[in-house]
Structure formats: structure tokens, C-alpha cells
């Protein structure tokens, strides 16, 4: 996962406000997967809103503990 973080730019402040097309969440190509898709598939991010017109979902951390542990993991791994 650290490799994806270093290769794909996402701000930690806005990581929990990402909007994606619903089809982007079902990628299974581990060699070419978006960081946000991986975080959704592993449970770090969950769907917090769905727009039926655009078929986009908004993702968010499921709770503070998950957000804190993920952020803490990244800070330790990247420093």
C-alpha cells in the first residue's frame, strides 16, 4: 500500500471526500489499482453517499478509529 501512496497523489485531508464512478470500485487488477479503490475494498473507506443521476459515490472513513489508525500508519511508514 505504501508503494501506491507514493505513486498516486492524494491529500490526506481530502482522502475521505473522494467521489468516484461506481464502476471504479470493482477493479481486481492488483498490479494496476487505484489507491482509493484498494482502500474501499479493504474497508478503510466506505460509501457515505450515492448520486443516482451521475452514478458517483462519495467515500469516507467509517469511523474515527479507522481514520486515525490509517493516518498513523502512513505517517510512521513515510517518515
Amino acid at each position: 500500500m505504501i508503494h501506491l501512496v507514493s505513486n498516486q497523489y492524494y491529500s490526506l485531508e481530502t482522502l475521505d471526500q473522494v467521489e468516484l464512478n461506481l464502476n471504479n470500485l470493482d477493479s481486481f487488477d492488483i498490479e494496476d489499482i487505484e489507491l482509493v479503490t484498494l482502500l474501499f475494498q479493504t474497508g478503510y473507506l466506505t460509501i457515505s453517499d450515492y448520486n443516482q443521476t451521475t452514478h458517483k459515490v462519495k467515500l469516507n472513513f467509517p469511523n474515527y478509529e479507522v481514520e486515525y489508525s490509517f493516518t498513523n500508519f502512513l505517517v510512521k511508514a513515510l517518515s
Side-chain angles (χ1 to χ4, degrees):
M1 185 177 323
I2 295 301
H3 201 61
L4 287 175
V5 171
S6 62
N7 289 337
Q8 299 177 24
Y9 176 79
Y10 285 98
S11 170
L12 286 179
E13 289 90 19
T14 60
L15 187 61
D16 64 342
Q17 301 169 8
V18 174
E19 288 188 35
L20 293 174
N21 188 305
L22 190 58
N23 295 332
N24 291 14
L25 296 178
D26 63 359
S27 172
F28 292 100
D29 183 3
I30 196 66
E31 299 296 324
D32 185 32
I33 192 167
E34 290 286 326
L35 174 62
V36 174
T37 302
L38 181 62
L39 292 175
F40 171 74
Q41 290 179 357
T42 56
Y44 283 99
L45 295 176
T46 58
I47 296 173
S48 62
D49 195 20
Y50 174 66
N51 185 321
Q52 291 181 334
T53 305
T54 62
H55 299 286
K56 289 192 175 191
V57 293
K58 182 177 177 186
L59 302 177
N60 205 336
F61 289 104
N63 55 48
Y64 175 76
E65 289 80 11
V66 172
E67 180 178 8
Y68 178 80
S69 66
F70 177 74
T71 305
N72 198 29
F73 166 75
L74 279 183
V75 168
K76 286 181 181 179
L78 295 174
S79 61

